[in-house]
């Protein structure tokens, strides 16, 4: 199934999508592609706000997005691998039997599947500015991310 269809389905039935991903076998290349795609979309979702900042301060857009590029494209993937390992150790403390790959896949998939909300949050922050609307959309993103992550982790235990 196409990734875009999986993303839409993951918002309604995250366990079914995770089961399908787990049935494909251990594929580190697929997990890394999910993570890098997520990081790229996170980076691009910041552009409207960075353009707003550049306009307000009189700087250039390139000056404002350089730090985002380093942080979101180079540092975040390393932190995500560490967070997935930590997530696996925490779930092991609660008796989970899934392996490190399933924890990575669940985290990376949840990040990728929740990117439409991140893009919306970036647009709200860019066009409306920081404020209650941005906070509300950010909270919606967090709920979607946790919904998909928790259900994916439960499915990985099956």
């Amino acid at each position: 199934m196409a990734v875009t269809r999986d993303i839409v389905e993951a918002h309604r039935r995250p366990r079914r999508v995770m089961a399908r991903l787990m049935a494909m076998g251990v594929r580190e290349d697929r997990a890394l592609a999910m993570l890098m795609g997520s990081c790229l979309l996170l980076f691009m979702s910041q552009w409207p706000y960075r353009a707003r900042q550049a306009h307000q301060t009189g700087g250039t857009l390139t000056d404002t997005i350089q730090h985002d590029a380093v942080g979101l494209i180079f540092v975040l993937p390393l932190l995500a691998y560490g967070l997935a390992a930590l997530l696996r150790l925490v779930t092991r403390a609660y008796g989970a039997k899934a392996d490190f790959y399933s924890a990575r896949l669940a985290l990376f998939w949840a990040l990728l599947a929740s990117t439409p909300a991140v893009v919306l949050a970036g647009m709200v922050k860019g066009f409306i500015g920081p404020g209650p609307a941005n906070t509300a959309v950010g909270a919606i993103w967090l709920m979607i991310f946790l919904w998909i992550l928790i259900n994916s982790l439960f499915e990985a235990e099956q």
Side-chain angles (χ1 to χ4, degrees):
M1 189 175 266
V3 174
T4 53
R5 289 185 189 167
D6 282 345
I7 288 173
V8 171
E9 186 177 356
H11 289 83
R12 290 177 279 154
R13 293 180 290 276
R15 288 186 182 201
R16 182 184 297 179
V17 177
M18 184 64 176
R20 204 168 33 242
L21 292 172
M22 294 291 291
M24 293 179 188
V26 177
R27 296 279 312 266
E28 281 297 332
D29 58 335
R30 186 182 322 268
L32 180 62
M34 285 180 194
L35 176 62
M36 294 309 294
S38 303
C39 291
L40 183 63
L41 288 170
L42 285 169
F43 171 62
M44 290 173 30
S45 72
Q46 294 299 310
W47 289 0
Y49 178 63
R50 296 303 181 194
R52 178 187 183 102
Q53 274 186 326
H55 177 71
Q56 289 175 344
T57 61
T60 63
L61 182 59
T62 350
D63 292 340
T64 58
I65 65 171
Q66 288 174 354
H67 298 292
D68 287 345
V70 171
L72 293 173
I73 295 178
F74 297 111
V75 177
L76 184 61
L78 298 173
L79 293 175
Y81 270 95
L83 182 62
L86 182 65
L87 182 64
R88 170 62 190 113
L89 294 175
V90 168
T91 57
R92 180 185 284 177
Y94 286 102
K97 295 175 179 65
D99 56 355
F100 282 96
Y101 172 75
S102 61
R104 279 192 305 275
L105 185 64
L107 178 67
F108 300 168
W109 173 246
L111 193 59
L112 180 64
S114 65
T115 54
V118 171
V119 171
L120 177 62
M123 290 184 348
V124 167
K125 193 174 181 181
F127 294 121
I128 299 174
N134 184 49
T135 303
V137 175
I140 291 169
W141 168 78
L142 182 62
M143 290 186 327
I144 291 170
F145 174 76
L146 290 175
W147 164 256
I148 295 171
L149 177 64
I150 291 168
N151 279 293
S152 296
L153 287 172
F154 279 128
E155 184 59 38
E157 283 300 310
Q158 301 301 322

